[in-house]
Amino acid sequence: MTGLQAGLKNRHLSMIAIGGVIGAGLFVGSSSGIATAGPGILLSYALVGTLVVLVMRMLGEMSAANPTSGSFSAHADRALGRWAGFSIGWLYWFFWVVVLAVEATAGAKILEGWMPAVPQWGWALIVMVVLTATNLVSVGSYGEFEFWFAGIKVVAIGAFIVVGGLAVFGVLPGVDSDKAGLGNLTEHGGFLPHGPGAILTGVLLVVFSFMGSEIATLAAGESEDPQRAVTKSTNSIIWRIAVFYLGSILVVVSLIPWNDPSIKAQGSYVAALDSLGIAHAGQIMNFIVLTSVLSCLNSGLYTASRMAFSLGERGDAPKAFAKTTSRGVPLAAIVASVVFGFVAVFFNYKFPDSVFLFLVNSSGAVALFVWLVICFSQLRMRKIIQRESPEKLVVRMWLYPYLTWATAALIVFVLGYMLTDTEHDGRETVLLSLLVAAVVLVIAVVKEKVRGGRAAVGAASSETAQDKVKTG
């Protein structure tokens, strides 16, 4: 057993941090948000983006002081208690294992469209096997794959913003787009065609596409300079969200009217490219979405396995999860995560409307639970760091503790608002996620009591042994 190794270079970490905020959900999920809130979806993205920036600032403060592959789960363990680290760690693992199945199926659909000779389940299997092999070789090979996957996403969105921006202002050579212009933001029923309430509904639809921004803090534990890596990724998250999310969505809703039927039919980014008359826009976008899917799969497997490794190290998962190969790869943790991913893929093909739907909905609100736990962990952790090693506070949460409390309140409000949403499965998602969280919490509490009981028995037996020595 050698433990995890520092196999990630700084360029890997930088790209993992940038790519982490660009999920496939940005390309696939934005069309329903635009249809619901119109151009006002920009406010929904801005609101969730602000939330993510604040949560990442808190996580950055804790992770820069103590970089670990367990990230927020390890911080919660120390700040709030073993039950918190156990619960949020397993819930997060469950979330990513379900994501593996969702993304593998999404990628398989695109690949089957290109090469129909191989059935969809066959493509899902091939994609999962290839990325499992990548993760099993070494952390460096994961980093290298992610560097190129994320690089393609970043270049593609950057090009989309530049080309689309030029078209909006009418200076793109060779393109005469009659629909493009900033007037699209206000002309078709106003900036908020469905009223201010649609902003909150939009929040529910876009919040899950932001999950993944915390991956850089997990990966930092295997980098050359963990503290520098965490500090850099935390400080750069504001421009990453502003450019990639707000920038690209602004271009989409400026290029074509928000109520254009093509947005729903083709997807927002494909429809925007099509409106410029760019040849093969759909296939170009499919390639970019496939890259995002593979990136998400690659990172999802890495993240799930490292969380399982951390839980194993802390005695909250089988000890085998904490064992690594000579290359520093947690073999059992990766294999276990993949096996559950395969099981979920099977459920997706066999029982898509029952078992798999339950899995997706019951993991849906986990992102918000994780962010909430980060808030409460930071409130306690700041005091611990200040008391024990104040020099490690290289990243500080702004306006502590007021902004931390305000962020927690906003997350609770979003969860509460989801309970009123029956149209987009918001209520079902929260209730099922709470059910799964309650089950994990009960297991954590029982485990804690058993552990406490064993410790008490052990202490009592050692005292008895000492008494016998004394009397003897």
Side-chain angles (χ1 to χ4, degrees):
M1 180 176 160
T2 58
L4 298 177
Q5 294 174 2
L8 292 176
K9 298 182 171 67
N10 285 329
R11 68 181 176 88
H12 293 155
L13 252 292
S14 298
M15 207 50 94
I16 288 168
I18 293 171
V21 295
I22 311 169
L26 172 62
F27 302 109
V28 181
S30 53
S31 43
S32 56
I34 292 169
T36 301
I41 195 67
L42 284 165
L43 297 180
S44 305
Y45 273 104
L47 198 60
V48 181
T50 304
L51 196 62
V52 173
V53 166
L54 294 172
V55 169
M56 279 299 294
R57 188 77 190 176
M58 295 176 223
L59 184 54
E61 177 181 295
M62 296 186 287
S63 295
N66 180 29
T68 167
S69 60
S71 189
F72 51 84
S73 171
H75 304 320
D77 200 306
R78 190 161 180 220
L80 306 175
R82 290 292 292 266
W83 63 271
F86 176 95
S87 304
I88 207 66
W90 277 113
L91 281 172
Y92 190 69
W93 179 85
F94 171 58
F95 170 85
W96 279 110
V97 167
V98 175
V99 165
L100 289 182
V102 174
E103 300 290 346
T105 308
K109 275 182 186 168
I110 294 172
L111 288 164
E112 190 195 24
W114 291 343
M115 286 175 264
V118 180
Q120 207 179 96
W121 64 266
W123 279 121
L125 190 69
I126 292 166
V127 165
M128 289 276 272
V129 167
V130 169
L131 292 177
T132 303
T134 306
N135 273 266
L136 284 173
V137 172
S138 70
V139 68
S141 66
Y142 153 72
E144 202 60 40
F145 260 70
E146 194 51 31
F147 177 79
W148 292 105
F149 283 153
I152 291 169
K153 285 194 291 191
V154 170
V155 169
I157 291 195
F160 175 80
I161 292 171
V162 171
V163 171
L166 290 172
V168 168
F169 292 105
V171 290
L172 186 65
V175 169
D176 181 27
S177 179
D178 54 338
K179 293 180 181 176
L182 293 175
N184 283 326
L185 298 175
T186 53
E187 281 170 7
H188 307 275
F191 185 67
L192 292 169
H194 297 147
I199 297 170
L200 285 173
T201 311
V203 164
L204 307 187
L205 294 171
V206 305
V207 69
F208 306 111
S209 62
F210 281 84
M211 194 66 167
S213 41
E214 66 294 319
I215 291 173
T217 63
L218 279 101
E222 292 175 83
S223 68
E224 297 160 339
D225 187 352
Q227 194 178 65
R228 179 175 172 269
V230 169
T231 307
K232 198 175 169 188
S233 69
T234 304
N235 290 337
S236 65
I237 190 143
I238 298 175
W239 72 259
R240 285 187 273 133
I241 285 174
V243 171
F244 296 126
Y245 277 85
L246 293 174
S248 64
I249 294 294
L250 175 62
V251 168
V252 169
V253 291
S254 300
L255 280 176
I256 44 177
W258 68 271
N259 54 0
D260 194 304
S262 63
I263 289 182
K264 230 171 185 176
Q266 300 171 279
S268 47
Y269 287 79
V270 174
L273 282 176
D274 257 349
S275 73
L276 299 177
I278 293 175
H280 312 297
Q283 293 304 336
I284 293 168
M285 212 62 225
N286 271 341
F287 173 72
I288 296 163
V289 171
L290 180 64
T291 308
S292 293
V293 162
L294 294 175
S295 165
C296 198
L297 261 173
N298 197 32
S299 285
L301 181 52
Y302 172 82
T303 308
S305 64
R306 288 332 186 253
M307 187 55 79
F309 169 84
S310 177
L311 287 164
E313 262 194 330
R314 289 176 271 145
D316 289 334
K319 283 182 181 171
F321 285 7
K323 289 182 178 169
T324 56
T325 65
S326 58
R327 290 170 173 265
V329 173
L331 180 68
I334 290 175
V335 171
S337 303
V338 169
V339 166
F340 276 90
F342 276 131
V343 170
V345 169
F346 168 76
F347 284 144
N348 193 2
Y349 287 109
K350 201 75 179 159
F351 314 105
D353 299 322
S354 53
V355 182
F356 189 71
L357 195 63
F358 169 79
L359 288 176
V360 171
N361 284 338
S362 62
S363 64
V366 166
L368 293 164
F369 296 165
V370 166
W371 295 347
L372 203 53
V373 166
I374 289 171
C375 292
F376 291 127
S377 298
Q378 192 263 339
L379 285 168
R380 298 283 294 275
M381 206 65 183
R382 167 69 77 93
K383 291 171 185 167
I384 294 170
I385 299 168
Q386 280 179 326
R387 187 173 66 243
E388 293 179 3
S389 45
E391 75 283 355
K392 288 186 175 179
L393 271 175
V394 289
V395 176
R396 286 174 179 265
M397 175 58 184
W398 308 296
L399 298 175
Y400 168 85
Y402 310 108
L403 207 46
T404 303
W405 279 112
T407 307
L410 183 57
I411 295 167
V412 171
F413 172 76
V414 170
L415 282 166
Y417 187 77
M418 282 179 80
L419 288 170
T420 68
D421 174 49
T422 50
E423 192 186 340
H424 303 99
D425 298 330
R427 178 183 293 175
E428 195 179 353
T429 298
V430 172
L431 292 176
L432 287 175
S433 297
L434 282 171
L435 174 68
V436 172
V439 170
V440 175
L441 202 55
V442 167
I443 294 169
V445 171
V446 169
K447 198 172 186 300
E448 196 73 5
K449 285 196 171 172
V450 169
R451 189 183 275 142
R454 280 184 194 150
V457 169
S461 61
S462 67
E463 278 177 28
T464 308
Q466 283 172 359
D467 288 342
K468 279 181 182 173
V469 170
K470 283 177 188 172
T471 52

